[in-house]
Amino acid sequence: MSPEDNKVAVRRFYNEVINQKNLAVLEELLGDHYVSHDLPSDPAALKGFISGFHSAFPDGQITIDQMIAEGDTVALRATFHGTQTGQFKDIPPTGKAVTVPAQDMYRLVEGKIVEHWGGPNLLRLLQQLGVIPQMG
C-alpha cells in the first residue's frame, strides 16, 4: 500500500469511528495483531474506550489538522472538540466544552492499522474539565 492509501485508512478511523460513531468500522481498520502503546490494544477494550468518549462527549468531533505519511507510517496532529454532558470515567457531567489536542502515529500493513502511539492530551482534557488545576 502507498503512503496515500495509508492516509485514507487513518482518515477513515477519525471520520467514521470517532466522528460518525460507527465502531463496527474498527473491525475493517485494525490488523490481526494490532498493538497500541498508549491506548487499549485489545479491540474490545479500544471500542470501550472510544465508546466512553462518545457517551461523555456526545457532540464530540475531531478535526485532522495535519497528516504526514512516509512508507508504512502515518503521523498526525488533530483537535477534539466536545461538551461533557455524560459521565467520563469517574467524572460526572460538567457541561464544559473542551478543545483537546491529539498527536498520533500509526503503522499500517496491507492497509490495516497494526500499531499506534499517542492519543488525546488527557492532561489538557482534565484541566479543561476542572478536575486538575491549570498550570502557570
Side-chain angles (χ1 to χ4, degrees):
M1 306 295 287
S2 74
E4 289 304 313
D5 293 330
N6 290 337
K7 285 167 69 173
V8 168
V10 171
R11 194 172 281 113
R12 278 190 72 203
F13 171 79
Y14 288 95
N15 290 336
E16 296 178 37
V17 176
I18 304 300
N19 291 340
Q20 297 171 18
K21 299 173 178 49
N22 185 353
L23 295 176
V25 173
L26 274 177
E27 295 171 21
E28 296 175 37
L29 296 176
L30 299 182
D32 291 337
H33 302 288
Y34 167 78
V35 172
S36 178
H37 299 278
D38 298 293
L39 299 176
S41 289
D42 175 69
L46 181 60
K47 281 183 183 180
F49 177 81
I50 295 169
S51 180
F53 256 91
H54 289 161
S55 296
F57 303 90
D59 65 343
Q61 294 287 298
I62 196 159
T63 303
I64 296 172
D65 301 314
Q66 181 180 25
M67 183 182 285
I68 301 167
E70 183 175 322
D72 64 357
T73 303
V74 176
L76 63 86
R77 289 182 312 102
T79 305
F80 176 82
H81 299 275
T83 307
Q84 189 210 7
T85 58
Q87 183 88 9
F88 180 66
K89 301 200 181 275
D90 61 348
I91 304 166
T94 63
K96 293 183 178 180
V98 298
T99 299
V100 180
Q103 295 179 346
D104 293 278
M105 183 175 282
Y106 299 89
R107 188 172 65 83
L108 293 91
V109 173
E110 297 178 4
K112 304 273 187 173
I113 298 169
V114 297
E115 204 163 8
H116 168 261
W117 297 263
N121 186 320
L122 295 177
L123 174 61
R124 296 267 299 271
L125 173 64
L126 295 174
Q127 288 173 330
Q128 291 177 44
L129 293 177
V131 177
I132 295 176
Q134 297 283 343
M135 301 295 287

